[in-house]
Amino acid sequence: MKSSLRTVRLELAEPLRISRSTMAARDAVWLTVEHEELRGHGEAVTSVYYGLGTETLVRLLTAVDLSRFADPESALEALRAGELTTSDVPPAVTAAVESALLDLAGKRAGVPVHRLLGTTAPPVAATARTIGITALARAASEARRLAASGFEVIKVKAGAPDPEDDIERVRVIRDAAPRARLLLDPNGAWSVPQTDALLPRFAALGVAAVEQPVPPGDPDALGALAERAPLPVIADEDAVTLEDVRRLAGRVQGVNVKLAKCGGVHAALRIAELIEGSGTELMLGCLTASTLGLAPAVHLADRARWADLDGHLLLAHDPWTGIGGADGVVRTSGLAGLGVEEVTVRADVA
């Protein structure tokens, strides 16, 4: 097998502000693996939070030697056994490599990736759509537009300097889209006392669940908070590795699994198996990325209580197609492999 890389710039349709930053664009590095005239693709995106820049991703992906494997199936076996990448390789890199190999293996077998993972029916899921920290009028307008487009779940970013701004933003979004289920995500912006004071007010406004309200680093505090909270608490930044989730299983109501932070599809499946029956349920999340980057998670979407797979919908131009989502529902295309296709050939080569 041989592999190649391309780097592209993904511009957002508008800047997305969360509690710790505002993002207008990010780079994506595409890995293509070729074997017997078939190609498999994977994507890793840059992240300030995870300390992954473009040069780092290119260097790390270049260092993964796939030429020593006869086919993608044997490379996948090595990856699952921990023999393809070293333990210090970031999960986002491992996830991108696995994506390309799964895509290629599915195409070789002539079946979608979800069939390789043991699911017969094509996964379909209602996805949340994110509204960032923005002006009230803008939040209300966006909520109305999303509800009219078919979105049943809206995720509201929180963590403004004045928490009353968050309260009012949720209120106007609820009024603009009264039938939508609301999720809240402060990205760890609140202290424990703030969270205890705020969550009853958000529950009264109809918020269905909250992600990572307090800063990561103290899973015991998050677990204790979840026990007394008036609405479900979903761990995100505190739930990165399998061991993180093991500490939180049964203590929080949900864990947000992003393939780029846990290490890919099979790492996510191990987490799902770990929490089964514990009272902690699965949320599938994502980073802002293209359809290529989102597709592996969509093949798992039927296994999650919550799906937050809208990263591709935030882009000004998505260079891949195949998972939908503009109507509030993500789905696999039925094509072999990941089921995605590139719609624009880009010239910016890594």
Side-chain angles (χ1 to χ4, degrees), residues 7 345-349:
T7 300
V345 176
R346 302 292 292 266
D348 37 349
V349 180

Side-chain angles (χ1 to χ4, degrees), residues 60 78-79 81-94 241 261-263:
L60 292 170
L79 184 145
E83 299 168 356
L84 180 56
T85 59
T86 57
S87 60
D88 59 343
V89 170
V93 172
T94 303
T241 67
K261 80 173 179 180
C262 75

Side-chain angles (χ1 to χ4, degrees), residues 116-129:
L116 297 180
L117 303 176
T119 300
T120 302
V124 177
T127 180
R129 178 68 157 78

